[in-house]
Each structure stands twice: as structure tokens, then as C-alpha cells.
Amino acid sequence: DGGITQSPKYLFRKEGQNVTLSCEQNLNHDAMYWYRQDPGQGLRLIYYSQIVNDFQKGDIAEGYSVSREKKESFPLTVTSAQKNPTAFYLCASSMIGQRREKLFFGSGTQLSVL
Amino acid sequence: RKEVEQDPGPFNVPEGATVAFNCTYSNSASQSFFWYRQDCRKEPKLLMSVYSSGNEDGRFTAQLNRASQYISLLIRDSKLSDSATYLCVVRGSNYKLTFGKGTLLTVNP
């Protein structure tokens, strides 16, 4: 089945630790996105990528890093510089070039600080 | 003005009621508009795109008013299974999608 796979579902981070969230898609989508959602809040864009080896900062990129070495993969690293990392992280992908293309989401990763 | 602003909610309605969600956006160059539905601790899923002429999908009707920069979603004959958070989503000219904070709907028996 085609789709987006995020892992792990739950992740715990210790103080000062970097952690990496995985996102893989087999939809052959060009664009991939990372969003953060806090309780009672909408989704805020962290980073997005429209092509391999290129990505742009979203609205809240500080304390995060990404890579796009393969079309299928867009991992997100939450660095120790992100002081408030506890949130629900959602990865998404879409085709580009069509205004009404829908976002396909992964099932999310809940990150908590120990 | 926030980029995308929705009714704060929450909405509590009885089964069978009609409920309307409103959303405004600040960027007049915005090109595409969507309503997504999100169940608790799940990923959002596309409910419907919003077309300039308005569009309907069963019990759901979406409207767009570009002059007022306003989008709406109407749910008729609401069901228990409609209980969820409804997210207004706007795409700008650079393909960036901006989400509203969402409005929580609870349909009661």
C-alpha cells in the first residue's frame, strides 16, 4: 500500500540530547513537510522540501534540522537547541505543480522530554 | 491579523443539528483552500477542497468569498461520527500551506 510511514510513534528525549524522527513515503511525491502541533493548536510548519537536496525553513525552524538525500525520505532532527520540544510531530507529502493537490500525512510522532 | 483564523469553538451540538464553521485568511493572493478533519491524536485528513463557486459533498457544503477573504463549512444533519476538530487550510502562491488552529466539534446523542 502506498503511504507515509513515521517512526517511532512515541519518543522520549533527555535534556541536551538530539533525536531524529523518521519519515518515509512511497507515493513518489516531490514535496515533503514537517509540522508541529501543540495541544489545542493548529499545525505549524517547521521545514519543507520540494526537491531532493533542497529544503526551506518554515515558520518555526529554530532548533530543528532536516535532510533530503532521497526523494522518499525526509528525517527531522530535534536538536538540544529546541528548548520546548514536547509536541505531536506530523510529516506530510504532496505532489507539486497542482494547486489542489492534497496533503498525505503520516500517523505522527509524540515527542516528550524526560 | 493572523494568516488563517477560525472560530475558536468548541461547538457542542445535538445529533441532527446543522453547524457552520467560519474561517478568514489575511493573504489576498492565496490560491487554494481546504477543510481538513482531525480526530484526537490522529493525523489530519482532507475533508474537501473549497471551490470559488462553492461545492457540496453529501451533508457537507463549502463556500469561498474571495472579496471578504472568508471560507465556510456547513455540516447538515450532524452525526456522532462528525465529532472531530475541523481545520481550515490555505495555500499561498509559493505552495506553502497554512493551517488554522482548528475548531472542535462534539455531536451529542
Side-chain angles (χ1 to χ4, degrees):
Chain A
D1 286 339
I4 300 183
T5 302
Q6 280 188 247
S7 62
K9 191 172 179 65
Y10 299 97
L11 185 60
F12 296 91
R13 193 191 89 166
K14 295 179 181 178
E15 292 285 339
Q17 186 182 38
N18 292 355
V19 293
T20 297
L21 284 60
S22 170
C23 179
E24 304 277 332
Q25 55 99 359
N26 60 4
L27 300 166
N28 199 34
H29 284 169
D30 295 303
M32 296 188 75
Y33 310 81
W34 273 105
Y35 289 91
R36 167 180 173 144
Q37 187 174 34
D38 294 278
Q41 301 294 315
L43 279 66
R44 292 185 291 167
L45 182 64
I46 305 173
Y47 269 98
Y48 65 105
S49 168
Q50 295 183 318
I51 194 169
V52 173
N53 292 322
D54 189 40
F55 46 83
Q56 286 77 42
K57 291 182 179 180
D59 300 316
I60 54 164
E62 187 174 349
Y64 300 96
S65 65
V66 293
S67 63
R68 187 88 186 275
E69 296 177 2
K70 298 186 300 182
K71 188 175 185 178
E72 302 80 20
S73 179
F74 192 41
L76 173 74
T77 296
V78 184
T79 74
S80 57
Q82 174 46 249
K83 299 305 180 188
N84 185 22
T86 297
F88 188 50
Y89 290 85
L90 285 158
C91 179
S93 71
S94 71
M95 297 293 289
I96 58 174
Q98 304 166 22
R99 288 182 185 178
R100 297 198 180 281
E101 70 271 20
K102 64 181 281 189
L103 277 182
F104 289 77
F105 283 91
S107 56
T109 295
Q110 175 63 50
L111 175 62
S112 302
V113 176
L114 288 175
Chain B
R1 185 179 181 182
K2 294 181 181 175
E3 284 190 73
V4 178
E5 199 154 4
Q6 294 187 237
D7 289 331
F11 289 4
N12 283 279
V13 302
E15 270 188 289
T18 296
V19 59
F21 301 102
N22 301 311
C23 174
T24 58
Y25 60 95
S26 61
N27 184 356
S28 59
S30 297
Q31 299 192 343
S32 307
F33 311 90
F34 310 88
W35 284 101
Y36 276 72
R37 170 200 166 121
Q38 186 177 25
D39 292 292
C40 188
R41 306 314 263 167
K42 301 282 189 182
E43 72 274 21
K45 294 185 178 177
L46 180 66
L47 181 64
M48 56 198 303
S49 300
V50 186
Y51 299 108
S52 297
S53 54
N55 48 301
E56 189 173 304
D57 182 4
R59 298 180 293 108
F60 299 85
T61 301
Q63 297 277 354
L64 167 64
N65 184 324
R66 284 190 181 271
S68 301
Q69 295 178 205
Y70 169 90
I71 308 155
S72 66
L73 174 69
L74 186 75
I75 304 177
R76 291 182 301 278
D77 188 23
S78 53
K79 312 291 185 190
L80 296 177
S81 57
D82 294 333
S83 297
T85 296
Y86 290 83
L87 300 165
C88 174
V89 185
V90 175
R91 181 186 300 282
S93 55
N94 61 356
Y95 292 100
K96 176 187 166 186
L97 284 166
T98 302
F99 285 74
K101 288 188 177 183
T103 304
L104 176 63
L105 170 67
T106 302
V107 181
N108 301 302

